[in-house]
Amino acid sequence: MKDTAMKVLYVQNNQLLAGKVRAGKNIDGEKISVVPNRSLDSKLIPIILGFEGGTQCLSVGITQQPILQIEHRNIMDLYQSKEESRSFTFYRWDAGITSRLESAAYPGWFLCTILEEDQPITLTNHPEDSHSVIADFYLEQCA
C-alpha cells in the first residue's frame, strides 16, 4: 500500500507512518492483511486492515474528532465475528488505479498521509485538499 507520492506505510512504535527512505535506504512497506467485513453491505466494499501478520488491526476511535489507532486484535477473529466491527472497517472507494478508504464508523473521514515523510497516517474529512493531505492510495496485491 502506497500513497500517490509513493510513500509506503510502515509500523514504528505502535504507529502507522508513511515514508520512502530511512537512514539512506528505501523503506520496505508493511505487508497489510485485508479481509472483508462480512456483516456490512458488501456493495460498499467494507475491509479490515491488519498488520504484523494480522495480529494488529487499524481502528478508528474518537476524542474531539476521529483518530487512527493500532489495536492488538487478530484480523481473523474480526473476520469470523458476527459483530459489525465498524471501528475496524473502511469502505474502499476505487477511482481508476487508486483507492480511498473511508471509515465505516465515521462516514466522511478518510485515511490519509500528509505531504512530509515519516509522519503518522491520519484521517481527514477534506480528502480533496491536495495541498495538505494525500487520500488516494495504490493497493498492491502480494502473492
Side-chain angles (χ1 to χ4, degrees), residues 1-9 16-19 68 110-117 119-124 129-130 132-137:
M1 186 170 169
K2 298 177 184 174
D3 69 11
T4 55
M6 304 310 286
K7 295 190 305 277
V8 297
L9 307 187
L16 186 61
L17 307 173
L68 280 181
F110 293 82
L111 275 184
C112 70
T113 62
I114 62 171
L115 301 178
E116 293 83 25
E117 287 197 37
Q119 296 300 311
I121 305 303
T122 187
L123 293 164
T124 183
D129 184 6
S130 61
S132 61
V133 298
I134 300 170
D136 297 309
F137 294 90

Short mmCIF file of all heavy atoms in Angstrom, two decimals, residues 1-9 16-19 68 110-117 119-124 129-130 132-137:
data_model
loop_
_atom_site.label_atom_id
_atom_site.label_comp_id
_atom_site.label_asym_id
_atom_site.label_seq_id
_atom_site.Cartn_x
_atom_site.Cartn_y
_atom_site.Cartn_z
N MET A 1 0.86 -1.18 0.00
CA MET A 1 0.00 0.00 0.00
C MET A 1 0.90 1.23 0.00
O MET A 1 1.78 1.36 0.84
CB MET A 1 -0.90 -0.03 1.24
CG MET A 1 -1.91 1.04 1.30
SD MET A 1 -3.09 0.71 2.65
CE MET A 1 -3.93 2.25 2.70
N LYS A 2 0.67 2.13 -0.97
CA LYS A 2 1.45 3.36 -1.10
C LYS A 2 0.48 4.50 -1.35
O LYS A 2 -0.58 4.32 -1.94
CB LYS A 2 2.40 3.30 -2.30
CG LYS A 2 3.43 2.23 -2.23
CD LYS A 2 4.24 2.22 -3.51
CE LYS A 2 5.23 1.07 -3.48
NZ LYS A 2 5.95 0.92 -4.73
N ASP A 3 0.88 5.70 -0.91
CA ASP A 3 0.09 6.87 -1.28
C ASP A 3 0.53 7.31 -2.68
O ASP A 3 1.46 6.75 -3.25
CB ASP A 3 0.16 7.98 -0.24
CG ASP A 3 1.51 8.66 -0.13
OD1 ASP A 3 2.39 8.46 -0.99
OD2 ASP A 3 1.71 9.42 0.83
N THR A 4 -0.12 8.29 -3.25
CA THR A 4 0.21 8.71 -4.61
C THR A 4 1.54 9.45 -4.72
O THR A 4 2.03 9.68 -5.81
CB THR A 4 -0.93 9.56 -5.23
OG1 THR A 4 -1.20 10.66 -4.38
CG2 THR A 4 -2.18 8.72 -5.44
N ALA A 5 2.16 9.78 -3.58
CA ALA A 5 3.52 10.33 -3.58
C ALA A 5 4.54 9.19 -3.45
O ALA A 5 5.73 9.44 -3.26
CB ALA A 5 3.69 11.33 -2.44
N MET A 6 4.05 7.94 -3.52
CA MET A 6 4.87 6.73 -3.45
C MET A 6 5.48 6.47 -2.08
O MET A 6 6.47 5.76 -1.95
CB MET A 6 5.95 6.73 -4.54
CG MET A 6 5.39 6.89 -5.96
SD MET A 6 4.01 5.76 -6.34
CE MET A 6 4.88 4.24 -6.55
N LYS A 7 4.91 7.06 -1.03
CA LYS A 7 5.34 6.75 0.34
C LYS A 7 4.66 5.44 0.75
O LYS A 7 3.47 5.25 0.51
CB LYS A 7 4.96 7.87 1.31
CG LYS A 7 5.69 9.18 1.03
CD LYS A 7 5.49 10.20 2.13
CE LYS A 7 4.09 10.53 2.47
NZ LYS A 7 3.42 11.53 1.64
N VAL A 8 5.44 4.54 1.33
CA VAL A 8 4.90 3.26 1.81
C VAL A 8 4.51 3.38 3.27
O VAL A 8 5.00 4.25 4.00
CB VAL A 8 5.91 2.11 1.62
CG1 VAL A 8 6.21 1.87 0.15
CG2 VAL A 8 7.19 2.34 2.42
N LEU A 9 3.63 2.50 3.72
CA LEU A 9 3.20 2.50 5.11
C LEU A 9 4.05 1.52 5.90
O LEU A 9 4.35 0.43 5.42
CB LEU A 9 1.72 2.10 5.20
CG LEU A 9 0.75 2.89 4.34
CD1 LEU A 9 -0.68 2.49 4.66
CD2 LEU A 9 0.93 4.37 4.49
N LEU A 16 1.37 3.90 12.74
CA LEU A 16 1.47 3.66 11.30
C LEU A 16 1.96 4.95 10.65
O LEU A 16 1.32 6.00 10.77
CB LEU A 16 0.10 3.26 10.76
CG LEU A 16 0.05 2.83 9.30
CD1 LEU A 16 0.93 1.60 9.06
CD2 LEU A 16 -1.39 2.54 8.89
N LEU A 17 3.12 4.86 9.99
CA LEU A 17 3.77 6.02 9.38
C LEU A 17 3.85 5.82 7.86
O LEU A 17 3.69 4.70 7.37
CB LEU A 17 5.18 6.21 9.94
CG LEU A 17 5.32 6.29 11.46
CD1 LEU A 17 6.78 6.31 11.85
CD2 LEU A 17 4.60 7.50 12.01
N ALA A 18 4.17 6.89 7.14
CA ALA A 18 4.38 6.82 5.70
C ALA A 18 5.71 7.49 5.36
O ALA A 18 5.99 8.59 5.81
CB ALA A 18 3.24 7.51 4.96
N GLY A 19 6.52 6.80 4.56
CA GLY A 19 7.81 7.35 4.16
C GLY A 19 8.40 6.56 3.01
O GLY A 19 7.85 5.55 2.57
N LEU A 68 -6.95 7.63 14.30
CA LEU A 68 -6.50 6.28 13.98
C LEU A 68 -5.70 5.71 15.13
O LEU A 68 -4.96 6.43 15.80
CB LEU A 68 -5.58 6.31 12.75
CG LEU A 68 -6.24 6.38 11.41
CD1 LEU A 68 -5.19 6.39 10.32
CD2 LEU A 68 -7.20 5.24 11.19
N PHE A 110 -11.59 9.97 5.91
CA PHE A 110 -10.79 9.09 5.06
C PHE A 110 -9.36 8.96 5.59
O PHE A 110 -8.79 9.93 6.11
CB PHE A 110 -10.73 9.66 3.64
CG PHE A 110 -12.05 9.65 2.93
CD1 PHE A 110 -12.98 10.65 3.15
CD2 PHE A 110 -12.35 8.63 2.05
CE1 PHE A 110 -14.20 10.64 2.49
CE2 PHE A 110 -13.58 8.61 1.38
CZ PHE A 110 -14.50 9.61 1.62
N LEU A 111 -8.76 7.76 5.38
CA LEU A 111 -7.34 7.59 5.67
C LEU A 111 -6.55 8.54 4.79
O LEU A 111 -6.90 8.76 3.63
CB LEU A 111 -6.89 6.18 5.30
CG LEU A 111 -7.07 5.04 6.26
CD1 LEU A 111 -6.45 3.78 5.68
CD2 LEU A 111 -6.49 5.34 7.60
N CYS A 112 -5.48 9.10 5.35
CA CYS A 112 -4.63 9.98 4.54
C CYS A 112 -3.22 10.04 5.12
O CYS A 112 -2.99 9.70 6.27
CB CYS A 112 -5.22 11.39 4.46
SG CYS A 112 -5.17 12.32 6.00
N THR A 113 -2.32 10.48 4.27
CA THR A 113 -0.97 10.82 4.70
C THR A 113 -0.86 12.33 4.57
O THR A 113 -1.69 12.97 3.94
CB THR A 113 0.10 10.14 3.81
OG1 THR A 113 -0.04 10.61 2.48
CG2 THR A 113 -0.03 8.63 3.85
N ILE A 114 0.19 12.87 5.18
CA ILE A 114 0.47 14.29 4.95
C ILE A 114 1.66 14.35 4.01
O ILE A 114 2.29 13.34 3.72
CB ILE A 114 0.70 15.07 6.26
CG1 ILE A 114 1.90 14.54 7.02
CG2 ILE A 114 -0.55 15.02 7.12
CD1 ILE A 114 2.29 15.42 8.19
N LEU A 115 1.97 15.52 3.51
CA LEU A 115 2.99 15.64 2.49
C LEU A 115 4.39 15.28 2.99
O LEU A 115 5.20 14.73 2.24
CB LEU A 115 2.98 17.05 1.89
CG LEU A 115 1.63 17.45 1.25
CD1 LEU A 115 1.69 18.87 0.73
CD2 LEU A 115 1.21 16.47 0.18
N GLU A 116 4.70 15.58 4.26
CA GLU A 116 6.01 15.28 4.81
C GLU A 116 6.16 13.78 5.03
O GLU A 116 5.20 13.08 5.33
CB GLU A 116 6.24 16.01 6.14
CG GLU A 116 6.32 17.51 6.02
CD GLU A 116 4.95 18.17 5.97
OE1 GLU A 116 3.98 17.59 6.49
OE2 GLU A 116 4.84 19.26 5.37
N GLU A 117 7.40 13.30 4.94
CA GLU A 117 7.69 11.88 5.14
C GLU A 117 7.82 11.55 6.63
O GLU A 117 8.08 12.41 7.46
CB GLU A 117 8.98 11.50 4.42
CG GLU A 117 8.79 11.44 2.93
CD GLU A 117 9.90 10.69 2.25
OE1 GLU A 117 10.37 9.68 2.80
OE2 GLU A 117 10.27 11.12 1.15
N GLN A 119 5.70 10.62 8.84
CA GLN A 119 4.68 11.18 9.72
C GLN A 119 3.53 10.17 9.83
O GLN A 119 3.31 9.37 8.94
CB GLN A 119 4.15 12.51 9.17
CG GLN A 119 5.21 13.59 9.11
CD GLN A 119 5.79 13.90 10.47
OE1 GLN A 119 5.06 14.11 11.43
NE2 GLN A 119 7.11 13.90 10.56
N PRO A 120 2.79 10.21 10.93
CA PRO A 120 1.70 9.26 11.12
C PRO A 120 0.60 9.38 10.07
O PRO A 120 0.29 10.47 9.60
CB PRO A 120 1.14 9.62 12.51
CG PRO A 120 2.24 10.36 13.19
CD PRO A 120 2.98 11.07 12.09
N ILE A 121 0.04 8.23 9.73
CA ILE A 121 -1.16 8.19 8.90
C ILE A 121 -2.28 8.76 9.78
O ILE A 121 -2.33 8.52 10.98
CB ILE A 121 -1.50 6.74 8.51
CG1 ILE A 121 -0.33 6.07 7.81
CG2 ILE A 121 -2.75 6.68 7.64
CD1 ILE A 121 0.18 6.77 6.60
N THR A 122 -3.17 9.48 9.18
CA THR A 122 -4.22 10.12 9.95
C THR A 122 -5.53 10.04 9.19
O THR A 122 -5.66 9.29 8.22
CB THR A 122 -3.82 11.58 10.28
OG1 THR A 122 -4.77 12.15 11.16
CG2 THR A 122 -3.66 12.44 9.05
N LEU A 123 -6.50 10.81 9.61
CA LEU A 123 -7.80 10.87 8.94
C LEU A 123 -8.09 12.31 8.54
O LEU A 123 -7.65 13.24 9.21
CB LEU A 123 -8.92 10.39 9.88
CG LEU A 123 -8.89 8.92 10.26
CD1 LEU A 123 -9.77 8.66 11.46
CD2 LEU A 123 -9.33 8.06 9.09
N THR A 124 -8.82 12.46 7.46
CA THR A 124 -9.25 13.79 7.02
C THR A 124 -10.71 13.74 6.60
O THR A 124 -11.17 12.72 6.09
CB THR A 124 -8.40 14.31 5.85
OG1 THR A 124 -8.84 15.64 5.51
CG2 THR A 124 -8.52 13.43 4.61
N ASP A 129 -8.32 18.06 -0.41
CA ASP A 129 -7.35 19.11 -0.11
C ASP A 129 -5.92 18.62 -0.39
O ASP A 129 -5.19 18.26 0.52
CB ASP A 129 -7.48 19.56 1.35
CG ASP A 129 -6.56 20.71 1.69
OD1 ASP A 129 -5.88 21.24 0.79
OD2 ASP A 129 -6.50 21.07 2.88
N SER A 130 -5.54 18.60 -1.66
CA SER A 130 -4.25 18.05 -2.05
C SER A 130 -3.06 18.92 -1.64
O SER A 130 -1.92 18.51 -1.80
CB SER A 130 -4.22 17.82 -3.57
OG SER A 130 -4.39 19.05 -4.25
N SER A 132 -2.51 19.72 1.49
CA SER A 132 -2.07 19.32 2.83
C SER A 132 -2.16 17.82 3.09
O SER A 132 -1.45 17.32 3.96
CB SER A 132 -2.89 20.07 3.90
OG SER A 132 -4.26 19.76 3.78
N VAL A 133 -3.00 17.09 2.35
CA VAL A 133 -3.12 15.65 2.60
C VAL A 133 -3.15 14.87 1.29
O VAL A 133 -3.46 15.41 0.23
CB VAL A 133 -4.40 15.30 3.41
CG1 VAL A 133 -4.39 15.95 4.77
CG2 VAL A 133 -5.66 15.63 2.64
N ILE A 134 -2.84 13.58 1.41
CA ILE A 134 -2.96 12.64 0.28
C ILE A 134 -3.92 11.55 0.74
O ILE A 134 -3.62 10.80 1.68
CB ILE A 134 -1.59 12.03 -0.09
CG1 ILE A 134 -0.61 13.14 -0.49
CG2 ILE A 134 -1.75 11.00 -1.21
CD1 ILE A 134 0.83 12.67 -0.64
N ALA A 135 -5.07 11.45 0.10
CA ALA A 135 -6.08 10.48 0.50
C ALA A 135 -6.24 9.34 -0.52
O ALA A 135 -7.09 8.49 -0.35
CB ALA A 135 -7.42 11.18 0.72
N ASP A 136 -5.42 9.36 -1.57
CA ASP A 136 -5.50 8.32 -2.58
C ASP A 136 -4.32 7.36 -2.42
O ASP A 136 -3.18 7.80 -2.25
CB ASP A 136 -5.49 8.93 -3.98
CG ASP A 136 -6.71 9.82 -4.21
OD1 ASP A 136 -7.84 9.34 -3.95
OD2 ASP A 136 -6.54 10.96 -4.65
N PHE A 137 -4.63 6.07 -2.50
CA PHE A 137 -3.63 5.03 -2.28
C PHE A 137 -3.63 4.02 -3.41
O PHE A 137 -4.66 3.73 -4.00
CB PHE A 137 -3.92 4.28 -0.96
CG PHE A 137 -3.77 5.14 0.26
CD1 PHE A 137 -4.83 5.84 0.76
CD2 PHE A 137 -2.53 5.24 0.90
CE1 PHE A 137 -4.70 6.64 1.89
CE2 PHE A 137 -2.38 6.03 2.03
CZ PHE A 137 -3.47 6.74 2.53
#
